[in-house]
Amino acid sequence: MDSLRSKIVPVSTILAGIVVLWYVFAVVLNAPFQRDLDRRGGVTPTTTEFIAETLAQKKPTLPAPHQVAENFFKNTFQVKITSARSLVYNSWVTLSSTLLGFAFGTVLGILIAVGIVHVTTLDKSLMPWIIASQTIPILAVAPMIIVVLAAVGITGLIPKALISTYLSFFPVAVGMVKGLRSPELMHLDLMHTYNASRTQTFWKLRVPASVPFLFASMKVAVAASLVGAIVGELPTGAVAGIGAKLLAGAYYSQTIDIWAALVAGSVVAALLVAAVGLASRIVERAMGGRPA
Amino acid sequence: MSQPASITPATAETARQVVSAKNLGLTFQTNDGPVQALSNVDLTIGKGEFVSFIGPSGCGKTTLLRVIADLEKPSSGSISINGMSAEQAREKRAYGYVFQAAALFPWRTIERNVALPLEIIGLPKAEQAKRIARTLDLVNLTGFEKKYPWQLSGGMQQRASIARALAFDADLLLMDEPFGALDEIVRDHLNEQLLELWGRTEKTICFVTHSIPEAVYLSTRIVVMSPRPGRVTDVIESTLPKERPLDIRETPEFLAIAARVRDGLRAGHSYED
């Protein structure tokens, strides 16, 4: 209970600070347009009225926190889940491709790591390419993946998921290479004295030793997967998903919608990272981890 | 190469010899040039002996144990275990090895840790359970089967690792400073238990240590080693009886052997610089 309170207080202090700052910036950034509007309308509002108006514009440069909150609340809880406006529906669209891509990425990352740890040639040849793959801007690669796959008849969920895979396999591969190599020399010597085969050493020593590394890298990978899914929705002219909401908001200058979609994306990301964290705790407990 | 007549007595003798090293040498290549870890080591260890290797760090005592275990390859000379090469002996699981640290797998309970070598050999589950119960009883850890290593004290962890080394019933036990990291009280206690275990199982034990009292208390034979290059400088036969209560360490006989060991170490310049 105390630990919870000791976490909540500092976090909410920062949050309060951000909200205050946000309001200040909202007033400052929305003021020029408001002044312009007032001059053309021939009105001279008091300072209080002026500030209230900067925080209630339809298409503000920077929407105020309460406008975003209101939009987020309405589109999450008050519209039908099947509606194209619903943030739940759009989040689900993005989430499904995130999860598929994350699953692909995790499996691919593990397979690559196993290959690198066991085959010297792969260790030498593959690693530079893996690192190089992440230096290519995903925004440039994403449309090509979509176009190429569409040309061979693959459309829908898979191309988007593959962009998530592209981003998420990397942390898993790097983390698992480290994890599979993490057993101490003494443990490896021990297996050697038992004349254990490579397969036995792999399953009985390397795999269990790599589990903490797997979860740490999966936390990074799941967040990267979400970014991949959103980026994948941008160039595809996707009709649904958080990326599509962001794009539509940008077309029609619906800044409040953009921010609400952003909040939805953050919520999804937080939930995903928390889910991986929870899975990690459960597995740690099952593996006899000392309670923290 | 040799005539049949001379083979027969030789094989009869090797049957009793568990470890036999002839002119053994090992040179490590390091960045500062070659380091001679072992040089001209000749040694025979018979069945049922308790042999300690003592010397300052760098004298090659751990390296020698690792050569016996086939964890290092000698660069010259020959070594045989039970009449086989070190590699064949390892493949046949001729020995159990106890490391300086307990080296238990943290994700396995004590009983699963002891089961590890049995799983690797591929014993049926029922036989595994029998052996686990027996070896845990040998090291007085019955009742701790379901505990994880972190729930046990350092001494208990090391006992669990001894149980693991005993689990597949090899006749040879190689121990590399197994009690070095433990406090003296725990160490005394484990030394006593180890002697008792040795008496009951009649195993051959090779024991690396840097403690003179420990070596004298435990061994039937003490191999004194010296560094630069690592070599055997003296081999001392113990005259102590097989039954050794802890207070045997105050007897004149014990102190005389300890003094000989100390002299041996001094002769090998172990006390210099």
Side-chain angles (χ1 to χ4, degrees):
Chain A
M1 211 53 209
D2 264 354
S3 76
L4 194 65
R5 193 176 305 155
S6 70
K7 272 181 193 165
I8 285 176
V9 173
V11 169
S12 37
T13 310
I14 295 292
L15 183 68
I18 290 174
V19 168
V20 170
L21 229 93
W22 192 346
Y23 270 111
V24 172
F25 273 102
V27 172
V28 173
L29 290 172
N30 296 333
F33 179 70
Q34 193 61 44
R35 238 175 268 135
D36 200 32
L37 213 64
D38 289 346
R39 199 186 58 237
R40 272 186 283 166
V43 283
T44 45
T46 64
T47 314
T48 329
E49 279 169 355
F50 180 76
I51 288 173
E53 274 164 0
T54 58
L55 297 178
Q57 291 174 0
K58 264 220 153 81
K59 294 179 177 182
T61 310
L62 179 64
H66 68 266
Q67 288 177 297
V68 176
E70 200 183 337
N71 182 299
F72 179 79
F73 184 80
K74 190 181 82 198
N75 288 331
T76 304
F77 300 109
Q78 292 176 335
V79 295
K80 265 209 287 194
I81 273 183
T82 48
S83 146
R85 290 194 62 82
S86 168
L87 281 173
V88 178
Y89 167 70
N90 284 292
S91 295
W92 167 247
V93 169
T94 305
L95 182 68
S96 57
S97 99
T98 301
L99 289 177
L100 187 65
F102 173 61
F104 283 163
T106 303
V107 172
L108 181 65
I110 291 173
L111 288 180
I112 288 174
V114 171
I116 285 177
V117 168
H118 281 89
V119 186
T120 327
T121 335
L122 286 182
D123 185 18
K124 294 240 166 70
S125 61
L126 215 51
M127 211 53 187
W129 285 107
I130 290 171
I131 293 167
S133 76
Q134 301 302 305
T135 62
I136 300 166
I138 186 65
L139 218 52
V141 178
M144 291 190 287
I145 294 178
I146 308 274
V147 168
V148 168
L149 287 179
V152 295
I154 302 171
T155 52
L157 195 59
I158 305 264
K160 258 166 62 185
L162 284 181
I163 293 162
S164 292
T165 304
Y166 187 89
L167 288 182
S168 62
F169 88 93
F170 178 72
V172 174
V174 171
M176 280 303 281
V177 166
K178 213 171 163 204
L180 292 172
R181 284 183 177 156
S182 70
E184 343 171 10
L185 208 57
M186 213 185 273
H187 284 157
L188 290 168
D189 275 347
L190 181 75
M191 296 303 272
H192 195 62
T193 69
Y194 296 149
N195 194 29
S197 67
R198 277 177 80 133
T199 325
Q200 284 171 328
T201 305
F202 179 76
W203 287 110
K204 291 184 194 298
L205 177 58
R206 291 190 191 275
V207 168
S210 72
V211 167
F213 292 82
L214 175 65
F215 280 105
S217 54
M218 270 165 64
K219 267 189 200 171
V220 179
V222 81
S225 275
L226 182 66
V227 171
I230 292 173
V231 168
E233 285 163 355
L234 294 179
T236 53
V239 284
I242 293 172
K245 285 287 279 184
L246 289 173
L247 203 61
Y251 273 147
Y252 305 111
S253 307
Q254 302 282 5
T255 44
I256 301 177
D257 275 358
I258 296 179
W259 282 89
L262 248 164
V263 171
S266 312
V267 170
V268 172
L271 288 176
L272 286 172
V273 173
V276 174
L278 185 70
S280 149
R281 282 257 194 87
I282 292 168
V283 171
E284 244 168 60
R285 190 69 52 85
M287 285 176 70
R290 187 198 296 251
Chain B
M1 293 220 294
S2 37
Q3 290 170 358
S6 64
I7 286 174
T8 329
T11 33
E13 200 181 322
T14 44
R16 279 179 52 250
Q17 281 174 9
V18 178
V19 178
S20 161
K22 285 196 186 69
N23 204 14
L24 202 65
L26 197 155
T27 308
F28 288 118
Q29 299 300 333
T30 69
N31 291 334
D32 305 328
V35 170
Q36 231 182 338
L38 288 175
S39 150
N40 287 324
V41 174
D42 284 295
L43 186 73
T44 338
I45 298 171
K47 191 165 167 35
E49 277 198 86
F50 196 127
V51 179
S52 285
F53 299 90
I54 190 164
S57 41
C59 72
K61 52 193 193 301
T62 295
T63 309
L64 180 54
L65 202 69
R66 290 175 63 86
V67 169
I68 296 173
D70 190 39
L71 292 171
E72 309 283 356
K73 304 276 183 209
S75 13
S76 63
S78 70
I79 178 124
S80 74
I81 286 102
N82 294 333
M84 296 174 279
S85 75
E87 189 176 357
Q88 287 169 329
R90 179 179 60 80
E91 280 163 4
K92 287 224 161 88
R93 284 116 179 173
Y95 63 85
Y97 199 103
V98 180
F99 291 87
Q100 284 177 16
L104 300 169
F105 288 3
W107 54 84
R108 283 177 173 245
T109 59
I110 295 305
E111 99 188 320
R112 298 316 302 155
N113 264 294
V114 177
L116 177 72
L118 307 176
E119 286 173 16
I120 289 169
I121 296 174
L123 282 187
K125 283 265 182 250
E127 178 64 21
Q128 283 188 24
K130 259 204 322 220
R131 296 240 194 144
I132 292 164
R134 199 184 65 211
T135 48
L136 283 179
D137 179 50
L138 269 178
V139 298
N140 295 329
L141 274 180
T142 307
F144 293 92
E145 291 87 351
K146 305 285 180 206
K147 299 278 187 218
Y148 283 96
W150 64 268
Q151 294 169 301
L152 267 57
S153 68
M156 288 163 99
Q157 289 183 22
Q158 198 52 279
R159 262 150 57 195
S161 95
I162 294 172
R164 182 180 58 184
L166 292 170
F168 55 90
D169 230 359
D171 287 328
L172 177 61
L173 197 55
L174 306 175
M175 307 179 88
D176 181 10
E177 288 187 43
F179 310 137
L182 305 173
D183 67 66
E184 207 169 334
I185 299 163
V186 175
R187 194 178 181 148
D188 277 354
H189 192 57
L190 289 180
N191 279 340
E192 216 177 358
Q193 288 185 338
L194 182 61
L195 265 191
E196 193 213 344
L197 191 142
W198 172 67
R200 258 198 286 172
T201 55
E202 294 179 328
K203 288 188 187 303
T204 311
I205 299 183
C206 296
F207 190 93
V208 167
T209 180
H210 50 227
S211 154
I212 297 175
E214 189 173 63
V216 178
Y217 177 68
L218 292 170
S219 321
T220 57
R221 208 141 56 100
I222 302 156
V223 176
V224 182
M225 297 182 74
S226 196
R228 286 180 299 271
R231 64 196 188 279
V232 174
T233 50
D234 199 2
V235 178
I236 298 162
E237 298 280 342
S238 174
T239 50
L240 296 175
K242 220 177 166 184
E243 285 293 321
R244 298 176 189 181
L246 270 177
D247 51 23
I248 202 171
R249 296 180 298 181
E250 270 94 63
T251 63
E253 209 181 353
F254 183 95
L255 296 173
I257 299 170
R260 269 200 67 189
V261 174
R262 197 166 286 116
D263 283 345
L265 288 169
R266 197 168 286 131
H269 307 288
S270 299
Y271 287 108
E272 282 175 21
D273 56 57

